[in-house]
Amino acid sequence: GAGVSQTPSNKVTEKGKYVELRCDPISGHTALYWYRQSLGQGPEFLIYFQGTGAADDSGLPNDRFFAVRPEGSVSTLKIQRTERGDSAVYLCASSLGPIDSLDRANTEAFFGQGTRLTVV
Amino acid sequence: GENVEQHPSTLSVQEGDSAVIKCTYSDSASNYFPWYKQELGKRPQLIIDIRSNVGEKKDQRIAVTLNKTAKHFSLHITETQPEDSAVYFCAAIGSTTGANNLFFGTGTRLTVIP
């Protein structure tokens, strides 16, 4: 596809359930980021992948949250035992290379439309 | 880690006037500062960015300035138009574990009144 794709666009789940959110980055992008955006707030960093490995997972709020990117392309964010406070829009972004590269073409981060997660 | 603060949280201007949004950052090693525009229900989109080796960058009606000493950067929109109405986010590179990634401000909701 031409852009970053996230599925599902909306997810409603019951408290305590497990959910998976999927991100398809732009083809060839090595860097992938997950953010969480609550209403009226800026995107909050969760985890950053460079290739298949998590370069920085310090933003994951607790051990109920986990993300994988096994083949260096598609990523899945997994949330166990969901809580109402997990309700937010989960945004995925990708860039051609590491965000701190001096090459402008490598560093622009493109966002997906997000997955709106509602825990009831 | 990086702490990015953004002001104001809301801003209303008359069409044709200028709008200025300001951000500060905490990590003196930050070297990349993008600005994103997010329209209602849509994804954030990059509108302009600046690196620490320059003090100002301009793209048509949009400009960004950077003061590394004071650790603040600003977005300037001139001759504002109704379609500029959106939420604007500043961001800065930061690192908590040695790998750099983007940290965002809390956003400014800009309303341009026709």
Side-chain angles (χ1 to χ4, degrees), chain B residues 9 11 35 57 59 75 82 94:
Chain B
S9 57
L11 179 60
W35 286 87
K57 183 177 178 181
D59 182 3
L75 178 71

Side-chain angles (χ1 to χ4, degrees), chain B residues 10-70:
Chain B
T10 60
L11 179 60
S12 293
V13 299
Q14 292 288 334
E15 182 177 359
D17 287 350
S18 295
V20 180
I21 302 170
K22 299 181 179 181
C23 288
T24 60
Y25 61 98
S26 60
D27 188 347
S28 57
S30 290
N31 61 4
Y32 177 63
F33 308 91
W35 286 87
Y36 283 81
K37 176 183 180 181
Q38 188 175 29
E39 297 177 4
L40 190 62
K42 296 189 177 181
R43 70 191 75 192
Q45 292 194 302
L46 180 72
I47 56 171
I48 194 167
D49 56 14
I50 191 168
R51 297 186 182 280
S52 57
N53 56 346
V54 298
E56 184 174 357
K57 183 177 178 181
K58 190 172 181 180
D59 182 3
Q60 299 183 357
R61 297 186 296 106
I62 295 173
V64 57
T65 59
L66 171 65
N67 183 327
K68 283 190 65 180
T69 303

